[in-house]
Amino acid sequence: MSHGGTIRLTNVRIIDGTGGAPVDNGEVVATNGRLTYVGPQREDAAEVTPVRTVDGGGRTVLPGFFDTHVHATTAVEENARDVVSDAGSYATLKTARRLRRTLDAGITTIRDLGGLDHGMQRALDDGLITGPRARIAVQVISPTGGHADLTLPNGKVMPLMNVPSLCVADTDEDVLITVRTLIRSGADVIKVCTTGGVSSPTDQPDDLGITEHQIALIRAELERHSRPRQIAAHAQGTAGILAAIRGGVDSVEHGYEIDDEGIELMLDKGTFLVPTLSAALRVPDPALVPPYLYEKKVRWSEIARENLARAIQAGVEVALGTDAGVCPHAQNLLELAHMVDLGMSPSDAIVAGTANAARLLGLAGELGTLEAGKIADLVAVSVDPLTDIATLADPDAIELVVKEGVVVKDLTATKTGMATTRRTA
Ligand SMILES: [Zn+2]
C-alpha cells in the first residue's frame, strides 16, 4: 500500500481522542502516512502542497477506532453446517470480506482474540487485502473441558470456529509450551480463559480455568522476550476475574460478574476492562441457538449489565471491544452507545475506543489520538458523536476512513447534505 503524498482535510471539527474539547474549524494534514498538522484551520498554509484536499464540509474527524476484541474468522450468523462445509479457501475469503467491512465501519485497528493467523495479519500489513491492522492472539488457551475446548460429551468437536484447533493446556508445563508455540506462531497477545463461558458446550461462566499461578508463569515467560506482549483473560465469573487480575493480566475480557474487590484491584493495578457489551447484552433468537446457550445468555446478560455498569461508574480503565464474531461484524461502534447506556459519557466512550485501546495494545506512541507525528488513521462523520453517539453504529454514518494516510472509504461526494448547509450558512 502506498502512503506517498500529502492529504489535507479542511473545514472539519476535530475530536482528537484525548477526551479534550473539540476544535471547531479545524484542519488535519497527513504526509506519507503520518499526521503532520492537527489544529485550527490555517488561512495561509504555504508549506502544504497537498496531492489531495478534502473539504470536510463541517464534518467531525476522529481517530480511527479500535476494536480490541474480535474474532474475524467467526460469524454469528453462520451455522455449524456452513462451518463444516466451507472449503478452507472460501472461509479465508469470507474472513477477508469481514475485515474490509470492519474497516468500513470505522475500525482501523483490531485485536483478534482467537482465530486470525499470521498469514492474514501479514496480508493486511502488505496490502494484499484491505482491512484494519491486526494484533493477534492466534488461539485461546484453557484447560480440558474449559472455554477453549469445544469437544462435546460424545467426543465430537463442535464446529464453532473456522480454526484448526484450540489450545487445551492443563499442567503448568502444558501452559508454558503452549505459550511458546503461540509466540512462534506470531502471537502478539496471549489469550487465556480463567473461567468457562457462554458459548462453550460443557462449562459455565463461573467455572475456573487457567489459574492465577499460571498467569504469573506466562507473565514471566513473556518477559524472556524483548518484544512486549500482553495477556488478555476471558473472565466472566467473580473468582476467575480476581484470579486474572491478581495473576497480572493486562485486560479482563467480559468481566460480567466483577465485584467491588475486583473493581478495587483493577483501579489499583491499572488493569483494563474490555466489557464486550455488544455480545453481553445481546440475547439471541431461541430458535437459532442450542437451548443451553439461550439459557446461559439470558441469565448472564442481566448479571453483566448490573456489574459492568458499576465498574464503569467506578472509573475502571475501559477499552472498546465487542466480541464481534459472537455478535455481528461491522457494527463495532454500537459498543459506544452501550457504554453510554451503562453510565459513561460519550467523550469517555470515544476515548475507550481510541486512546485507551491504543494504550492497552501498547500502540499509544503511534495511534489512538490525532496528534502530529502519529500514524494518520482517522474517520469523518456528519453527526455530532457527543450528542448522537448511537448513530455511529451504522457503517453508512462513517463517511470517510483514512488508514495510514490513504483514503480507504469516501462517501463525502455522495453525501453532501451537511457540507452544502455549512458552506452556505
Ligand atoms: Zn471472544
Side-chain angles (χ1 to χ4, degrees), residues 33-234:
R34 295 263 168 188
L35 295 166
T36 50
Y37 178 82
V38 180
Q41 185 153 322
R42 300 164 298 180
E43 290 312 315
D44 177 29
E47 77 281 14
V48 182
T49 47
V51 293
R52 183 163 181 190
T53 299
V54 179
D55 181 347
R59 289 182 179 81
T60 298
V61 172
L62 305 107
F65 281 90
F66 287 63
D67 189 333
T68 70
H69 191 138
V70 305
H71 301 280
T73 53
T74 310
V76 66
E77 65 276 9
E78 284 185 359
N79 58 36
R81 195 197 152 105
D82 294 332
V83 175
V84 170
S85 61
D86 282 351
S89 51
Y90 191 76
T92 301
L93 290 167
K94 285 203 290 192
T95 297
R97 188 178 60 179
R98 274 179 219 127
L99 290 164
R100 170 81 227 199
R101 289 175 57 226
T102 302
L103 180 68
D104 287 345
I107 307 297
T108 56
T109 307
I110 57 166
R111 186 174 64 160
D112 188 285
L113 286 184
L116 205 65
D117 71 6
H118 176 61
M120 289 297 271
Q121 180 186 47
R122 189 174 155 204
L124 289 163
D125 285 346
D126 293 350
L128 206 59
I129 56 174
T130 303
R133 74 180 57 70
R135 289 292 174 271
I136 56 172
V138 186
Q139 303 232 337
V140 176
I141 311 173
S142 89
T144 300
H147 188 53
D149 189 348
L150 301 179
T151 312
L152 295 161
N154 65 5
K156 292 182 182 165
V157 178
M158 193 171 67
L160 181 73
M161 297 168 108
N162 267 311
V163 290
S165 67
L166 294 162
C167 292
V168 169
D170 291 295
T171 66
D172 292 355
E173 194 185 345
D174 291 345
V175 170
L176 281 184
I177 293 170
T178 303
V179 167
R180 288 177 183 177
T181 308
L182 287 169
I183 290 174
R184 188 181 66 190
S185 307
D188 303 299
V189 53
I190 301 299
K191 163 97 174 280
V192 295
C193 302
T194 61
T195 70
V198 176
S199 59
S200 37
T202 63
D203 64 359
Q204 293 298 324
D206 40 15
D207 291 351
L208 288 170
I210 297 293
T211 64
E212 175 184 339
H213 167 70
Q214 288 172 334
I215 293 167
L217 285 180
I218 297 171
R219 177 58 70 197
E221 175 62 24
L222 294 183
E223 278 161 14
R224 291 199 314 116
H225 301 262
S226 56
R227 201 186 119 199
R229 289 182 179 82
Q230 288 81 40
I231 307 174
H234 162 104

Side-chain angles (χ1 to χ4, degrees), residues 8-10 12 14 25-29 37-42 45:
R8 182 176 182 220
L9 223 71
T10 58
V12 289
I14 300 167
N25 295 315
E27 171 185 343
V28 177
V29 182
Y37 178 82
V38 180
Q41 185 153 322
R42 300 164 298 180

